[in-house]
């Protein structure tokens, strides 16, 4: 299995310590010099960047929260006071998707763009894209960090990039039939939507597209076994997943042919920690460890981030992989914000999706967990809206509630709704709908 950058992907992390320490020291001093946001933040915390000698010294630094960045951009305008590069040095501006309120903007310098391309090239090579592929790109091209940067990487690999974008299922099918598409890149919810759409509107099986691979990104789901297997069955081909973060790097982890989680592919570009989301304590990179992923840029010039909390909750796997990549693998099990606590039991919406998926074809797989307010604590029963695929089925709700009770130890109240009544999105979709008292 080909590696794009064996010097980073195939090298034990400890062998990179020396070069990464130098990169970190250079990055921190650049940030301290150019980012008013970080200079003030670190002064308040009593941090002197000149004293940093090792990667471990990073633990003294305060975390950066997404809300702080958002607030900073709103207050200071433009790319915010955390950004280091001027607009003169900036060659492209993206914005992050799927959050409420004002979008946050993400600037890229020429050097950043090259690093993004390098990282995405490793990711798509890991997922098996080669120069022989006809690559159907069916996510947003405007603003989205999985748009134009992916184009650059795919062109670099030498595959034929077909920019289909979103909301164009008919054109996707036409282009595929005419060009012989081999690889489809989209979100898990769009892959499922497309399979349903083809069946209902075109009377065609998605297997007739003749794809070699479906590559998923931009939202969780590809890591949920039942969802992945459902897409594999619908398209009759392998499914691989890319993982990233629009503020840190568009994608920096991916599944190889051996599966087992997403390999972390950019230890030389991004320094990662796993922390206990409650205490902030740094956890070891050991198999079975679970926590929130925190990232620090090592080579970023527009908007480097230091100890940025991704809010993604991951499970670590450090077992050696047959593909030869040496970095740990992670499985993203959900957003820290999305974790619910029902009668003391931690529940991830992705785990609920896994159970509901076992009821396909009686359900479509689309669902929402309805939660009152912000809190992770939810009084039982957990309100879950599930789309049925066919006629009214008296037993179905009870059966799903029983399965959730048995597998997740949580009492659920299932509300069955007609097919296509839960909105499908081609971009990020949360499985939680929060209701706030007006
Ligand atoms: Zn592997």
């Amino acid at each position: 299995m080909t590696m794009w950058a064996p010097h980073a992907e195939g090298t034990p992390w400890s062998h990179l310590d020396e070069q990464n320490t130098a990169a970190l020291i250079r990055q921190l001093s650049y940030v301290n010099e150019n980012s008013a946001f970080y200079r003030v933040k670190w002064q308040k915390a009593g941090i002197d960047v000149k004293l940093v000698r090792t990667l471990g010294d990073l633990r003294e630094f305060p975390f950066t929260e997404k809300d702080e960045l958002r607030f900073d951009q709103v207050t200071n305008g433009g790319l915010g006071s955390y950004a280091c590069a001027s607009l003169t040095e900036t060659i492209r501006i993206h914005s992050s998707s799927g959050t409420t309120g004002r979008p946050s903007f993400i600037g890229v310098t020429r050097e950043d763009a090259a690093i993004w391309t390098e990282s995405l090239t490793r990711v798509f090579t890991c997922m098996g894209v080669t120069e022989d592929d006809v690559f159907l790109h069916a996510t947003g091209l405007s603003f989205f960090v999985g748009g134009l940067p992916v184009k650059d990487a795919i062109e670099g690999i030498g595959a034929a990039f077909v920019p289909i974008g979103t909301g164009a299922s008919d054109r996707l099918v036409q282009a595929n039939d005419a060009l012989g598409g081999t690889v489809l890149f989209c979100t898990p919810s769009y892959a499922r939507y497309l399979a349903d759409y083809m069946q209902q509107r075109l009377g065609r099986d998605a297997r007739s597209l003749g794809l070699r691979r479906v590559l998923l990104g931009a939202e969780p789901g590809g890591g949920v076994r039942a969802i992945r297997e459902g897409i594999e069955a619908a398209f009759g081909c392998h499914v691989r997943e890319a993982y990233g973060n629009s503020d840190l790097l568009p994608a920096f982890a991916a599944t190889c042919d051996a599966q087992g989680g997403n390999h972390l592919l950019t230890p030389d570009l991004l320094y990662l920690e796993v922390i206990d989301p409650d205490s902030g304590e740094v956890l070891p990179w050991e198999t079975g460890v679970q926590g929130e992923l925190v990232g620090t840029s090592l080579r970023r010039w527009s908007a480097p981030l230091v100890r940025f909390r991704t809010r993604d909750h991951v499970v670590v796997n450090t077992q050696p992989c047959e593909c030869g990549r040496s970095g740990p693998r992670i499985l993203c099990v959900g957003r820290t914000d999305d974790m619910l606590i029902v009668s003391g039991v931690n529940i991830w919406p992705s785990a609920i999706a896994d159970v509901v998926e076992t009821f396909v074809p009686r359900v479509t797989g689309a669902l929402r967990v309805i939660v009152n307010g912000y809190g992770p604590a939810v009084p039982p029963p957990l309100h879950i809206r599930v789309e049925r695929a066919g006629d009214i089925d008296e037993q179905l709700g009870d059966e799903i509630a029983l399965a959730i009770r048995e597998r997740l130890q949580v009492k659920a109240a299932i509300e069955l709704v007609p097919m296509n009544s839960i909105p499908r999105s081609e971009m990020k979709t949360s499985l939680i709908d929060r209701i706030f008292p007006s």
Side-chain angles (χ1 to χ4, degrees):
M1 285 178 256
T2 320
M3 273 184 246
W4 185 263
H7 63 276
E9 299 168 57
T11 304
W13 278 11
S14 57
H15 294 193
L16 299 168
D17 281 356
E18 200 179 317
Q19 81 172 61
N20 281 351
T21 306
L24 177 71
I25 291 172
R26 185 170 68 137
Q27 182 84 83
L28 292 174
S29 115
Y30 172 82
V31 172
N32 195 51
E33 219 162 279
N34 296 287
S35 163
F37 169 88
Y38 275 114
R39 209 160 39 235
V40 170
K41 189 177 172 71
W42 294 342
Q43 254 163 20
K44 276 191 198 156
I47 299 283
D48 183 352
V49 293
K50 290 191 202 70
L51 299 180
V52 173
R53 297 284 178 274
T54 67
L55 295 165
D57 290 345
L58 200 56
R59 294 180 183 203
E60 304 300 321
F61 283 68
F63 293 116
T64 305
E65 302 276 356
K66 176 71 185 173
D67 283 346
E68 288 177 85
L69 301 182
R70 215 177 270 134
F71 181 75
D72 178 66
Q73 265 193 6
V74 170
T75 311
N76 295 295
L79 299 175
S81 77
Y82 66 91
C84 293
S86 67
L87 283 176
T88 309
E89 296 160 293
T90 302
I91 61 160
R92 196 169 61 224
I93 298 171
H94 291 275
S95 78
S96 64
S97 61
T99 46
T100 51
R102 179 187 183 274
S104 38
F105 295 105
I106 304 144
V108 180
T109 66
R110 197 172 300 283
E111 216 172 341
D112 292 336
I115 293 286
W116 279 23
T117 304
E118 169 68 23
S119 152
L120 286 164
T121 307
R122 293 181 195 174
V123 161
F124 283 98
T125 303
C126 182
M127 294 193 290
V129 176
T130 73
E131 59 187 0
D132 297 325
D133 279 310
V134 175
F135 186 97
L136 307 172
H137 184 275
T139 73
L141 277 166
S142 52
F143 284 118
F144 177 45
V145 296
L148 295 172
V150 170
K151 175 198 85 85
D152 292 342
I154 298 305
E155 288 179 359
I157 291 171
F161 183 87
V162 189
I164 291 161
T166 57
S169 301
D170 287 330
R171 274 187 292 164
L172 186 153
V173 173
Q174 274 168 8
N176 178 77
D177 290 352
L179 303 171
T182 58
V183 168
L184 169 66
F185 174 60
C186 63
T187 61
S189 39
Y190 182 68
R192 295 152 60 106
Y193 168 85
L194 180 64
D196 286 352
Y197 178 90
M198 287 185 65
Q199 203 63 260
Q200 288 163 26
R201 301 287 290 275
L202 309 176
R204 259 178 80 172
D205 203 302
R207 276 176 284 198
S208 68
L209 291 170
L211 295 170
R212 192 170 69 75
R213 270 185 196 191
V214 175
L215 310 180
L216 305 174
E219 70 181 30
V224 178
R225 176 188 291 235
I227 293 181
R228 190 183 66 229
E229 288 175 355
I231 296 171
E232 286 184 332
F235 286 83
C237 67
H238 291 297
V239 166
R240 299 284 177 269
E241 184 191 30
Y243 169 82
N245 178 286
S246 46
D247 292 289
L248 288 172
L249 260 182
F252 51 86
T255 27
C256 69
D257 287 347
Q259 307 275 1
N262 297 337
H263 281 288
L264 295 168
L265 301 171
T266 60
D268 52 335
L269 310 177
L270 185 65
Y271 183 74
L272 293 169
E273 297 167 290
V274 178
I275 63 158
D276 177 320
D278 297 321
S279 67
E281 184 202 345
V282 177
L283 304 173
W285 283 102
E286 284 169 9
T287 298
V289 163
Q290 288 199 31
E292 183 181 329
L293 199 64
V294 170
T296 297
S297 315
L298 292 175
R299 295 166 205 277
R300 180 78 178 268
W301 312 107
S302 171
L305 298 180
V306 178
R307 303 201 86 200
F308 178 70
R309 290 187 66 157
T310 63
R311 296 273 159 194
D312 283 337
H313 201 97
V314 300
V315 182
V316 175
N317 171 8
T318 59
Q319 302 294 318
C321 184
E322 63 192 61
C323 77
R325 288 179 179 83
S326 50
R329 281 170 280 180
I330 54 166
L331 193 63
C332 180
V333 288
R335 304 269 303 156
T336 302
D337 306 333
D338 283 353
M339 194 186 75
L340 302 171
I341 304 170
V342 185
S343 308
V345 178
N346 293 357
I347 293 288
W348 295 97
S350 56
I352 296 169
D354 220 350
V355 176
V356 170
E357 191 76 26
T358 60
F359 287 86
V360 172
R362 292 165 73 196
V363 301
T364 63
L367 71 103
R368 288 289 188 280
V369 182
I370 313 294
V371 174
N372 281 302
Y374 284 109
V378 182
L382 192 59
H383 179 179
I384 304 167
R385 189 172 288 157
V386 176
E387 234 182 56
R388 54 183 162 77
D391 296 335
I392 291 172
D393 178 340
E394 302 284 341
Q395 301 299 318
L396 184 57
D398 292 345
E399 287 177 43
I400 296 173
L402 184 66
I404 287 174
R405 172 120 216 181
E406 278 175 357
R407 289 195 32 203
L408 307 175
Q409 279 79 51
V410 160
K411 193 166 179 215
I414 308 297
E415 177 197 356
L416 291 170
V417 295
M419 195 170 195
N420 294 326
S421 57
I422 293 177
R424 306 295 203 272
S425 158
E426 294 171 56
M427 300 288 285
K428 235 178 179 84
T429 314
S430 172
L431 294 175
I432 298 183
D433 271 355
R434 290 187 190 273
I435 299 170
F436 299 99
S438 49

